[in-house]
Amino acid sequence: MDKLVKLGQDVVLLWSKYWPMYLGGIRNTLILALVATVIGCIIGLICGILNTIPYTKNDPLPKRFLLKLIRVVVRVYVEVFRGTPMVLQAVFIYYGLPYFSDNALKFTGLTGTWVAAIIVVSINTGAYMAESVRGGIISIDPGQTEGAKAIGMTHVQTMTSVILPQALRNIMPQIGNNFIINVKDTSVMFIIMFTEFFAAHRYIVGVNNMYFPSAAIEMIGYLTMTLTASFLLRWVERRMDGADSYELVQTDALTMTAGTYTHPGKAEDVLERNLEEERGK
Amino acid sequence: MSEAILEIRHLSKAFGAHVVLRDIDFTVRPGDVTSIIGASGSGKSTLLRCVNLLETPTSGEILFHGRDVTGRGMNAASYRSKVGMVFQSFNLFNNMTVLENCMVGQTKVLKKSKEEARQNAMKYLEKVGMAPYINAKPRQISGGQKQRVAIARALAMEPEVLLFDEPTSALDPEMVGEVLAVMRDLANEGMTMLVVTHEMAFARDVSNHVVYMADGVICEEGEPKELFAHPKQARTREFLSRFTGQVSGD
């Protein structure tokens, strides 16, 4: 018990002294995770779409070759970035650029670290999302594609209007997963001097050696971020699903005379009665 | 005789070594209501899917107003926008409301304005009796209602021909009637239709041409009254005898 009280005192002490640093870290972590997840999703979407462009034997050879090539490139990208640690990718890109350009191009200063961090996390997220999007697209009933084709939609129109909105809904939990993973895994970006939440901890304990109390603050901080994210994502998912009920448009003369309801009540009552009738039919 | 809308010439389709359609020939003229009947697995649906280029024919030609649409240079999408299709499994867009389902093709493919598309969609939704349900999502309505919306969606594109791929086969028996009633109305209004169906009464009473398919070939075709009353081929007779209870309604 004493220890817990002591821990509480230390946490308060640390927080009161270094809260701008912790909060700054949280802010940077959230911005990086959010931006990188969004960019990663866009990369994933593009890869997923490119990967699922259909081609038949009748298509001209250049088109088939190009599509095959795209699939190979995407495959290589996914395997390389999914198969190596992000911390290493960060180092690889951060130091690789000046190495290859003879120091002509490098990630300098604060902007440099931000750019490098966003690139690394985005590319990493994109590699995971590419597979999620592909899974999301192939999980949609082929009938949806056929329905869209049958009214003359092109592949792009079918994708943007019909398939992707449904695939996106299905992969929302995956996007959420990726965001939460990013919130936590951006902590490895300290390796390229990016000052996120965990970097704040590293700096603070370097000054005063209060490892455990600072780690406790970090634990609480990360958990708060991820729990909030989970909660918001659930809310977004519910929004995407839309209402469970719908309103009947009562201006139609046919339904008025068809005896679907006897006296106009609240919209829900009418709806319920109609649904019951449908079921009973 | 008026000019043909669709001419199917020597159409064949094979999935690998499995030949599903062999040398199919037939013609659809404006106002024709052609029913394609036959046992399951006889290739009826594949034929219809080939006509709409959802399957690529192995050989043969599909002439739309005299132009072959199976060639490489053809734009399948623009051809399909003139040939509507109604599926057995409805294939309504699950992410859209009933109204949006009927508008999206008009705005995206035909480039109509939102307002124009809306009015047009409402016109056809009223025709199929689904106007009160414009705000519903497909998952919220019954099978028969879905199929009526699917018909409205196809009609809203104002196609020259409407293809029906077993439109009532996935429906509960009590919902078949409402869909057939809509199709009957369309036929009476002169809509050109090509219907793959197991509803023999519809084939006999509504269509003006019946095609009986067996094992990937057209076994017999002709006037419905004639074909149903006096089938020439033994196979046709045998097939139709299974439906005598259903057809002898008169």
Side-chain angles (χ1 to χ4, degrees):
Chain A
M1 198 63 206
D2 284 353
K3 287 287 172 202
L4 280 179
V5 174
K6 177 83 169 57
L7 176 64
Q9 287 168 345
D10 286 343
V11 165
V12 171
L13 181 74
L14 270 179
W15 183 259
S16 58
K17 202 164 173 191
Y18 295 108
W19 65 267
M21 218 162 188
Y22 283 121
L23 279 187
I26 286 179
R27 192 199 62 199
N28 287 355
T29 292
L30 284 179
I31 293 175
L32 175 58
L34 199 63
V35 171
T37 307
V38 170
I39 299 177
C41 283
I42 294 168
I43 296 175
L45 275 178
I46 293 168
C47 290
I49 295 167
L50 290 176
N51 248 341
T52 47
I53 298 175
Y55 59 86
T56 59
K57 277 184 294 194
N58 288 349
D59 286 324
L61 190 67
K63 184 184 170 190
R64 273 186 292 158
F65 177 77
L66 187 71
L67 289 174
K68 265 257 161 64
L69 186 72
I70 286 172
R71 285 181 196 199
V72 170
V73 170
V74 172
R75 185 94 226 136
V76 168
Y77 158 64
V78 169
E79 293 300 342
V80 166
F81 283 90
R82 208 172 50 167
T84 52
M86 192 160 76
V87 62
L88 203 57
Q89 292 163 16
V91 175
F92 194 74
I93 288 175
Y94 189 75
Y95 297 104
L97 188 66
Y99 186 89
F100 272 101
S101 62
D102 283 328
N103 283 329
L105 290 169
K106 55 178 158 183
F107 299 103
T108 47
L110 192 60
T111 333
T113 17
W114 268 103
V115 171
I118 287 174
I119 289 176
V120 172
V121 184
S122 302
I123 289 179
N124 209 281
T125 312
Y128 283 95
M129 284 309 298
E131 287 296 279
S132 297
V133 170
R134 197 170 68 87
I137 290 173
I138 57 181
S139 75
I140 303 299
D141 173 22
Q144 297 284 307
T145 310
E146 290 188 349
K149 278 185 173 175
I151 56 171
M153 284 195 188
T154 61
H155 179 70
V156 175
Q157 287 169 336
T158 306
M159 275 291 161
T160 54
S161 305
V162 178
I163 305 300
L164 285 179
Q166 295 182 53
L168 265 181
R169 167 62 191 91
N170 287 355
I171 61 171
M172 263 319 276
Q174 277 298 322
I175 294 176
N177 253 348
N178 266 303
F179 178 67
I180 285 170
I181 289 172
N182 281 345
V183 166
K184 297 182 298 169
D185 284 7
T186 45
S187 58
V188 301
M189 286 302 137
F190 73 85
I191 202 106
I192 55 169
M193 282 76 80
F194 184 82
T195 52
E196 38 64 57
F197 193 35
F198 185 66
H201 161 79
R202 282 172 55 88
Y203 173 80
I204 292 161
V205 297
V207 180
N208 59 22
N209 277 338
M210 292 172 79
Y211 282 96
F212 186 66
S214 180
I217 292 177
E218 293 280 313
M219 289 291 273
I220 296 165
Y222 274 116
L223 208 54
T224 311
M225 285 193 270
T226 51
L227 285 178
T228 313
S230 299
F231 178 79
L232 285 175
L233 284 159
R234 282 286 158 82
W235 179 77
V236 170
E237 277 182 43
R238 276 201 303 276
R239 281 290 302 268
M240 286 175 94
D241 284 341
D244 281 336
S245 57
Y246 58 94
E247 263 181 58
L248 285 175
V249 178
Q250 296 295 354
T251 50
D252 188 78
L254 270 174
T255 45
M256 300 292 276
T257 51
T260 42
Y261 63 103
T262 42
H263 53 86
K266 284 193 304 181
E268 292 92 57
D269 294 343
V270 175
L271 169 67
E272 261 167 38
R273 227 168 293 141
N274 274 332
L275 284 178
E276 267 161 32
E277 243 166 66
E278 280 305 329
R279 275 188 217 109
K281 242 192 217 171
Chain B
M1 234 182 198
S2 51
E3 196 212 336
I5 300 181
L6 274 171
E7 287 172 79
I8 315 296
R9 296 276 168 267
H10 307 294
L11 185 83
S12 294
K13 173 70 185 175
F15 293 106
H18 179 52
V19 181
V20 184
L21 295 176
R22 260 179 270 252
D23 204 20
I24 302 284
D25 275 281
F26 72 91
T27 305
V28 177
R29 286 173 213 287
D32 271 0
V33 177
T34 307
S35 288
I36 305 175
I37 58 172
S40 293
S42 57
K44 312 181 297 288
S45 288
T46 308
L47 171 60
L48 207 64
R49 291 169 59 83
C50 279
V51 171
N52 205 17
L53 299 180
L54 287 173
E55 302 286 354
T56 315
T58 314
S59 64
E61 289 177 328
I62 298 166
L63 304 179
F64 182 65
H65 291 296
R67 283 189 64 196
D68 186 16
V69 295
T70 57
R72 283 186 175 184
M74 266 305 293
N75 185 346
S78 80
Y79 162 67
R80 288 197 194 103
S81 71
K82 296 179 195 119
V83 180
M85 178 127 176
V86 174
F87 297 88
Q88 182 178 354
S89 50
F90 328 124
N91 296 352
L92 291 181
F93 306 134
N94 294 326
N95 56 323
M96 300 177 199
T97 63
V98 163
L99 181 62
E100 286 164 346
N101 260 285
C102 299
M103 284 171 63
V104 65
Q106 299 183 66
T107 51
K108 302 274 174 188
V109 180
L110 303 180
K111 311 288 181 203
K112 285 190 187 172
S113 73
K114 271 245 163 79
E115 193 43 48
E116 200 183 343
R118 198 191 133 82
Q119 279 172 9
N120 203 33
M122 285 309 295
K123 182 171 100 192
Y124 289 109
L125 282 167
E126 259 159 42
K127 190 190 198 75
V128 300
M130 286 302 291
Y133 296 88
I134 52 172
N135 295 324
K137 287 277 180 76
R139 65 183 148 93
Q140 293 164 325
I141 55 178
S142 73
Q145 293 176 325
K146 281 184 202 172
Q147 197 58 296
R148 285 190 277 152
V149 174
I151 292 172
R153 177 176 74 179
L155 286 173
M157 299 297 290
E158 278 155 2
E160 294 181 42
V161 195
L162 203 46
L163 313 177
F164 291 82
D165 185 9
E166 302 191 23
T168 57
S169 297
L171 297 176
D172 288 340
E174 60 266 40
M175 291 173 183
V176 170
E178 63 190 58
V179 172
L180 288 181
V182 168
M183 291 169 65
R184 211 178 277 259
D185 285 348
L186 286 177
N188 290 339
E189 286 164 26
M191 183 80 209
T192 311
M193 292 157 66
L194 188 55
V195 187
V196 168
T197 187
H198 289 295
E199 297 290 332
M200 293 306 142
F202 179 88
R204 192 197 52 185
D205 300 337
V206 182
S207 51
N208 63 353
H209 192 75
V210 175
V211 174
Y212 170 65
M213 283 183 70
D215 293 331
V217 293
I218 291 178
C219 194
E220 188 170 347
E221 62 179 311
E223 291 267 314
K225 294 271 169 340
E226 183 63 24
L227 190 135
F228 277 92
H230 312 288
K232 291 188 187 66
Q233 306 284 331
R235 301 188 66 169
T236 320
R237 223 168 309 158
E238 196 206 335
F239 175 76
L240 289 176
S241 68
R242 283 184 249 157
F243 291 94
T244 40
Q246 192 188 329
V247 183
S248 60
D250 47 356

